Amino acid sequence: MTEPQRSDVLIIGGGIMGASAAFFLRQRGKSVTLIERGLIGQQASGTNFGNVRRQGRYLPQLPLANRSRAIWGRLNEMLGEDAEFLPSGHLRLAYSEEMAGRIEQYGRDARPYGLELQMLSGNVLRDRFPFLGPEIRAGSYSPLDGHANPRLAAPAFGRAAKRAGAVIVERTEVLSVEQEGGSFRALTADGRVFRAEQMLITAGAWGSRLSQQFGEPAPLVVHGPQMAVTEPVPYALEPVLGIATTIPEEIIYLRQVKRGNIVFGGGIRGPASAETLRAYVKPENTLGQLAQITRIVPALRRLNVIRVWSGIESYLPDDIPIMGPSARVSGLHYAFGFCGHGFQLGPGVGDVMAELIATGQTSTPIEPFTIARFASKATNQTGGHE
Amino acid sequence: MADPRIVIVGAGPAGIRAAGALVAAGLRPILLDEGQRDGGQIYRRQPEGFTRTPEQLYGTEAARAVALHESFERLKPQIAYHPRHLVWNVADGVVHTISEGKPGQFAYDALIIAAGATDRLLPVKGWQHAGVYSLGGAQIALKAQACAIGRRVVFLGTGPLLQLVALQYHKAGAGVVALLDTSPFRRQVMALPKLAARPGMLVKGLRLVGGLMASGMAIHRGVTPVEIHGEAEAGVTGVSVRLASGRIRRFDCDAVGLGYHLRPEAQLADLARCAFTFDPKTRQYWPEIDAEGRSSVPGVYLAGDGVRTQGADGAEISGALAACAVLADLGRAVPEAERAALRARARIMERFREGIAEAYPWPAHLAADLPDEAILCRCEGITVGEVREAATGKGADEVNRAKALTRVGMGRCQGRYCGHAGAEIVAAASGVPLEAVGRLRGQAPVKPLAISAGESQP
Ligand SMILES: Cc1cc2nc3c(=O)[nH]c(=O)nc-3n(C[C@H](O)[C@H](O)[C@H](O)COP(=O)(O)OP(=O)(O)OC[C@H]3O[C@@H](n4cnc5c(N)ncnc54)[C@H](O)[C@@H]3O)c2cc1C
Ligand SMILES: Cc1cc2nc3c(=O)[nH]c(=O)nc-3n(C[C@H](O)[C@H](O)[C@H](O)COP(=O)(O)OP(=O)(O)OC[C@H]3O[C@@H](n4cnc5c(N)ncnc54)[C@H](O)[C@@H]3O)c2cc1C
């Protein structure tokens, strides 16, 4: 048998969380091995909608989202690759007075966190965004939010981490993890053993399979958000648009990429399976989205959808992730279960986890996300969608 | 017990024969087709108002075409026939259609997918110029609209359709400059034993070749395509190939008909979650079926050129066999003698199919050798070089990864036309076998879905 491979930190799961953590840990001089069952960014991180949106998030998550947004802004120079981040602005829209009131309140509540939002309504909104439909009453505009290309971001982090010296092991599944004599040990499906001083589990929808081996299961459930894209048309819709609503069928969000295609998602989530690694789009959900999307931008009725897809995302009962140190095992860290809004957070999560692992603390508050909350009673708090 | 709901997609030879066999067993299947009229690809009917004779339209196949059309007319009152219904998705035992802009649903107990084939294409430098058509497109222009794709046409590629369309164009009076076939003549000679499985077809084929020789058009076999020349405004101006002798030769023309035999239109089978398997002979993934067309998914049956490129006669047989399988699986009486005869004939069709595939092989090396600057994906304007770079520089040694990183196959055609060549390029560039680079997974909608369809929901 060959010698086990050793490093300071072993990361399990190469989505955007694991890949960015590997990159930032190398910046901090730690030796890193990242093990990924498939290819870097192939799961939720590569199939998501691409929203880089802060507004609408669970307020205590904003410091983390702000830190992440700052990294998005310099991602290209940092990674030496273009992940197509466009700070195009994000417009959160309301059909009803009640929702308009809610997003306005959110704007006031978000200000202390450093997120400046502009409340727009009536002619001001329509003059600025003439493509909006007549049902739209008001909108909250976040000038510095935007969108990026999920197919590129996580792989770019992975390659940059590799260039910086991280060992990236793809097509390798970790079956079991344990702590043994003060260090961590991971056994892979093909019989290899990896050892490290510290371990970070960023296994997305599969995180609990590993955390439970340390006595910390998490009540993850999986769903597949429903996505679609149109044929390309001349670039005209700058901001990302999203509806704020309490009616699940009404949820719809869309963005236009520079190439011209309009990507959209929302509505009822579809079936996904962490076992078969498949997530499906239900035809009736696609039709439901078509009926909603023209409420936001009526002109879209002239376009065609050319492709639909979904991805496997994990959700926790309180709709906020698990992030931070293990409550039971020292040297063990978690960042998984991102509940449909982890893409924006990805770079920030990697940076914070690297800071935490390298220094034992972080300047960004992440206490609400501790896994310990599931050891006792679960709280109930709702984040955004997308 | 209520009658089972049987849905057939495709009113070509396979779908029509499947419907006939089910009607004979006392059932009333639902037959969906996106076309205006029945007949499918080969026996495509001309639009109402056109008055060409069957002989003009179908040539040597006129009698068969008329027979199929007539039996369909008799069948019509006994089935639920829905033309102009595009099946855009299938999931959870329901087929989803769009008709005149309106969405519809058909739940089924058994589904026979007989969606036919489309051209198998291989890029050549310059194939994005205006005036380059698939062979299918060229033939449809002639059959349905009675017009030609150009006045001086070059046919380039390989396969029986290449010969057939070239001759049809010649007979219709369109100027055919040359027939340039990538398959060397000896491959056709070597395939003779298998082609002899259908002596009648072999004779037809030989007559076709005879007709081509007599036509006076230039015919070259064993060529290597080099480039389609063209200009932004004028479109295609010529085609250069390396002849078998090694000499490069240019043929001036104003249109090119391009095609490398056919590929099954297997997207619906994919959406129905049928298992696919790699066929090393034709170098493609296609759906798994048993001898009667059962897919890996219970209740889903596959027939015709949409699963194996056997041609029209094979399609009729496999359609009838799939109907037998449906009847058997539903516990209905099956005409056993007929079923046995069909299975025996299906084996002959399969042997002949192999012969054709060997006589006109998919020239994989041509894809692997394409120059970096050639456009691979016409929908998205992705070059061969970009895909090679993703494979060698970014570890994209799998086609869905190459798609994610470069957009190859992300356009309107969903990789139908560039997918096979793209897979060859990824395999060659990353040094892995073609089988290991996988296949582009089918994604709904099968064809672009109008957003306005969302307006007319219940
Ligand atoms: C369709 C869709 C749309 C979304 N839209 C948005 C959006 O617009 N904006 C936004 O901010 N967020 C969005 N999200 C959420 C976001 O994509 C996720 O929260 C985020 O990508 C999670 O990243 P991750 O690295 O935790 O998970 P993943 O990307 O799923 O990565 C986890 C990785 O761990 C690997 N792994 C698991 N177990 C093992 C093991 N035992 N051994 C080795 N490897 C293992 C997996 O193979 C996987 O690659 C969306 C999600 C989906 C699915
Ligand atoms: C362009 C072309 C030209 C050909 N010419 C010849 C020829 O000249 N001679 C010859 O022997 N063979 C020819 N073939 C081969 C020919 O297709 C078959 O031999 C024969 O037509 C196969 O019959 P089929 O029933 O399997 O499919 P087809 O005849 O192709 O019928 C399939 C039917 O399914 C319908 N359909 C497909 N997808 C959907 C969907 N999603 N929703 C609703 N309806 C759908 C189509 O409209 C079509 O009517 C040609 C093939 C092609 C592609």
Side-chain angles (χ1 to χ4, degrees):
Chain A
M1 212 180 113
T2 51
E3 276 288 289
Q5 197 263 19
R6 279 180 187 280
S7 46
D8 294 338
V9 186
L10 186 57
I11 303 177
I12 303 173
I16 194 162
M17 307 304 168
S20 64
F23 175 79
F24 288 113
L25 278 163
R26 283 305 302 141
Q27 307 285 302
R28 292 174 180 271
K30 293 285 175 188
S31 67
V32 186
T33 301
L34 166 59
I35 308 182
E36 163 55 43
R37 181 183 51 215
L39 301 172
I40 298 291
Q42 199 177 19
Q43 297 297 336
S45 300
T47 56
N48 66 70
F49 170 69
N51 221 348
V52 179
R53 159 194 68 93
R54 287 171 297 164
Q55 69 166 330
R57 279 178 192 271
Y58 174 55
L59 290 166
Q61 203 176 61
L62 285 178
L64 176 63
N66 290 341
R67 182 162 169 175
S68 202
R69 170 59 185 83
I71 301 172
W72 278 109
R74 51 192 163 83
L75 203 69
N76 291 2
E77 55 176 293
M78 216 172 62
L79 303 183
E81 286 188 36
D82 186 6
E84 295 176 8
F85 172 61
L86 266 188
S88 58
H90 179 278
L91 193 54
R92 195 161 174 243
L93 301 162
Y95 293 131
S96 67
E97 279 308 319
E98 196 222 328
M99 282 317 291
R102 283 213 219 171
I103 59 178
E104 194 164 5
Q105 181 61 44
Y106 185 89
R108 283 191 291 273
D109 296 344
R111 193 158 302 137
Y113 291 92
L115 178 61
E116 289 293 335
L117 304 174
Q118 304 161 10
M119 197 63 195
L120 307 168
S121 61
N123 288 344
V124 180
L125 179 68
R126 237 157 277 283
D127 287 350
R128 191 141 166 215
F129 304 108
F131 47 77
L132 293 176
E135 285 183 80
I136 308 279
R137 280 180 181 242
S140 161
Y141 183 66
S142 176
L144 298 180
D145 285 347
H147 55 111
N149 188 335
R151 292 179 282 108
L152 305 181
F157 264 115
R159 279 189 295 276
K162 190 173 172 182
R163 283 194 295 272
V167 177
I168 309 283
V169 186
E170 289 180 305
R171 297 188 166 115
T172 303
E173 184 177 11
V174 171
L175 291 186
S176 70
V177 282
E178 60 185 0
Q179 200 188 27
E180 199 186 60
S183 74
F184 291 89
R185 187 174 174 273
L187 176 70
T188 64
D190 57 5
R192 279 182 288 167
V193 175
F194 292 81
R195 283 182 181 279
E197 301 313 308
Q198 300 199 71
M199 180 176 277
L200 170 60
I201 294 177
T202 46
W206 303 267
S208 181
R209 289 189 190 169
L210 300 168
S211 68
Q212 71 184 8
Q213 298 182 33
F214 295 105
E216 294 178 301
L220 291 179
V221 293
V222 298
H223 297 292
Q226 313 278 283
M227 301 292 129
V229 63
T230 69
E231 67 221 309
V233 286
Y235 185 67
L237 297 178
E238 253 219 301
V240 182
L241 305 173
I243 287 292
T245 172
T246 50
I247 304 165
E249 287 84 350
E250 269 187 357
I251 299 169
I252 191 96
Y253 36 89
L254 62 114
R255 66 185 179 104
Q256 186 175 21
V257 301
K258 272 282 169 72
R259 152 92 183 129
N261 310 71
I262 291 160
V263 185
F264 61 92
I268 315 269
R269 295 176 189 134
S273 162
E275 278 70 41
T276 62
L277 305 185
R278 285 273 168 272
Y280 297 101
V281 179
K282 291 191 141 206
E284 46 276 33
N285 288 352
T286 303
L287 292 171
Q289 291 174 324
L290 301 187
Q292 294 299 331
I293 197 167
T294 47
R295 292 177 72 189
I296 311 192
V297 183
L300 294 181
R301 70 178 302 280
R302 293 196 300 270
L303 303 189
N304 292 294
V305 173
I306 60 170
R307 187 169 62 253
V308 306
W309 73 95
S310 184
I312 306 163
E313 175 66 332
S314 55
Y315 297 82
L316 287 153
D318 52 10
D319 239 6
I320 55 173
I322 287 171
M323 189 181 164
S326 155
R328 295 177 59 127
V329 180
S330 105
L332 175 64
H333 300 82
Y334 301 124
F336 62 83
F338 279 86
C339 307
H341 31 261
F343 182 61
Q344 189 280 344
L345 296 177
V349 169
D351 192 25
V352 166
M353 295 313 291
E355 185 191 11
L356 189 63
I357 289 169
T359 70
Q361 58 195 28
T362 167
S363 49
T364 301
I366 55 167
E367 291 73 27
F369 313 128
T370 175
I371 195 164
R373 71 188 194 272
F374 297 111
S376 54
K377 207 176 125 291
T379 50
N380 238 322
Q381 191 71 51
T382 308
H385 291 275
E386 303 133 71
Chain B
M1 202 179 82
D3 268 351
R5 298 160 305 175
I6 305 173
V7 172
I8 304 168
V9 182
I16 290 176
R17 289 305 174 207
L22 292 166
V23 166
L27 297 169
R28 186 183 170 84
I30 297 163
L31 178 59
L32 307 171
D33 196 293
E34 67 173 301
Q36 284 284 344
R37 305 192 66 185
D38 59 284
Q41 192 61 258
I42 168 169
Y43 306 133
R44 174 178 297 272
R45 293 192 160 191
Q46 55 193 336
E48 307 278 355
F50 280 67
T51 54
R52 286 164 291 170
T53 65
E55 286 68 28
Q56 283 169 318
L57 270 174
Y58 309 111
T60 56
E61 308 307 305
R64 301 201 69 103
V66 169
L68 193 80
H69 295 157
E70 281 175 2
S71 63
F72 187 73
E73 292 305 324
R74 284 193 300 275
L75 213 52
K76 251 189 198 167
Q78 304 173 73
I79 63 174
Y81 171 50
H82 302 275
R84 296 180 301 278
H85 276 61
L86 168 72
V87 177
W88 68 274
N89 207 344
V90 48
D92 306 320
V94 178
V95 157
H96 293 259
T97 58
I98 289 288
S99 180
E100 266 127 40
K102 292 190 181 56
Q105 301 188 353
F106 296 85
Y108 61 83
D109 300 301
L111 172 65
I112 300 177
I113 302 174
T118 43
D119 291 280
R120 200 175 183 195
L121 294 186
L122 186 78
V124 45
K125 190 178 168 192
W127 74 316
Q128 70 278 12
H129 289 305
V132 179
Y133 293 81
S134 70
L135 290 173
Q139 195 189 41
I140 288 169
L142 202 61
K143 268 195 208 174
Q145 307 295 340
C147 61
I149 58 171
R151 276 185 291 184
R152 289 170 301 135
V153 184
V154 165
F155 288 96
L156 173 65
T158 195
L161 198 56
L162 183 76
Q163 334 280 323
L164 182 67
V165 180
L167 191 60
Q168 286 171 341
Y169 262 65
H170 172 76
K171 286 192 174 158
V176 180
V177 175
L179 185 153
L180 306 173
D181 191 331
T182 55
S183 302
F185 184 61
R186 74 186 136 77
R187 295 293 302 241
Q188 285 122 59
V189 176
M190 280 157 63
L192 278 175
K194 281 186 177 164
L195 296 176
R198 296 176 65 190
M201 272 311 264
L202 183 55
V203 169
K204 269 189 204 165
L206 293 174
R207 282 212 192 105
L208 176 61
V209 173
L212 286 166
M213 312 264 272
S215 74
M217 71 177 78
I219 300 175
H220 296 275
R221 300 188 189 275
V223 307
T224 303
V226 175
E227 182 172 357
I228 296 178
H229 307 278
E231 288 154 14
E233 259 125 75
V236 171
T237 55
V239 174
S240 287
V241 295
R242 176 175 289 113
L243 301 179
S245 65
R247 199 160 59 88
I248 300 226
R249 180 146 169 218
R250 180 181 165 133
F251 298 86
D252 290 336
C253 61
D254 61 4
V256 179
L258 187 70
Y260 292 81
H261 203 29
L262 301 169
R263 55 174 280 288
E265 185 54 47
Q267 242 200 342
L268 280 173
D270 207 354
L271 293 173
R273 305 188 195 173
C274 299
F276 279 56
T277 173
F278 184 72
D279 177 52
K281 283 215 173 115
T282 59
R283 296 180 71 79
Q284 65 186 321
Y285 278 88
W286 57 22
E288 267 173 42
I289 42 163
D290 75 359
E292 294 184 330
R294 287 179 189 82
S295 76
S296 66
V297 176
V300 178
Y301 305 79
L302 310 173
D305 275 9
V307 59
R308 298 292 181 268
T309 317
Q310 292 180 338
D313 297 350
E316 290 191 39
I317 292 165
S318 72
L321 262 179
C324 290
V326 169
L327 293 172
D329 296 350
L330 290 171
R332 299 268 167 157
V334 186
E336 287 300 344
E338 200 184 319
R339 185 188 193 181
L342 285 168
R343 287 184 65 147
R345 287 173 63 203
R347 282 193 291 274
I348 294 173
M349 296 295 146
E350 185 57 11
R351 188 170 162 78
F352 186 78
R353 180 195 67 73
E354 284 181 20
I356 291 286
E358 288 168 17
Y360 303 102
W362 164 251
H365 61 284
L366 295 183
D369 293 346
L370 280 169
D372 277 347
E373 68 273 19
I375 299 280
L376 169 59
C377 170
R378 287 190 295 189
C379 300
E380 292 297 311
I382 311 295
T383 64
V384 170
E386 285 172 79
V387 173
R388 272 196 193 122
E389 209 282 312
T392 53
K394 295 183 175 169
D397 57 0
E398 190 268 337
V399 290
N400 291 289
R401 186 65 161 190
K403 173 177 168 182
L405 297 185
T406 67
R407 312 184 60 89
V408 66
M410 276 201 175
R412 279 181 79 95
C413 90
Q414 296 221 30
R416 274 183 180 78
Y417 298 122
C418 65
H420 286 174
E424 298 284 358
I425 290 162
V426 169
S430 37
V432 302
L434 184 66
E435 188 175 357
V437 305
R439 64 187 183 89
L440 291 174
R441 281 184 289 273
Q443 286 170 290
V446 167
K447 294 202 178 150
L449 173 67
I451 286 184
S452 55
E455 288 159 13
S456 40
Q457 284 177 75

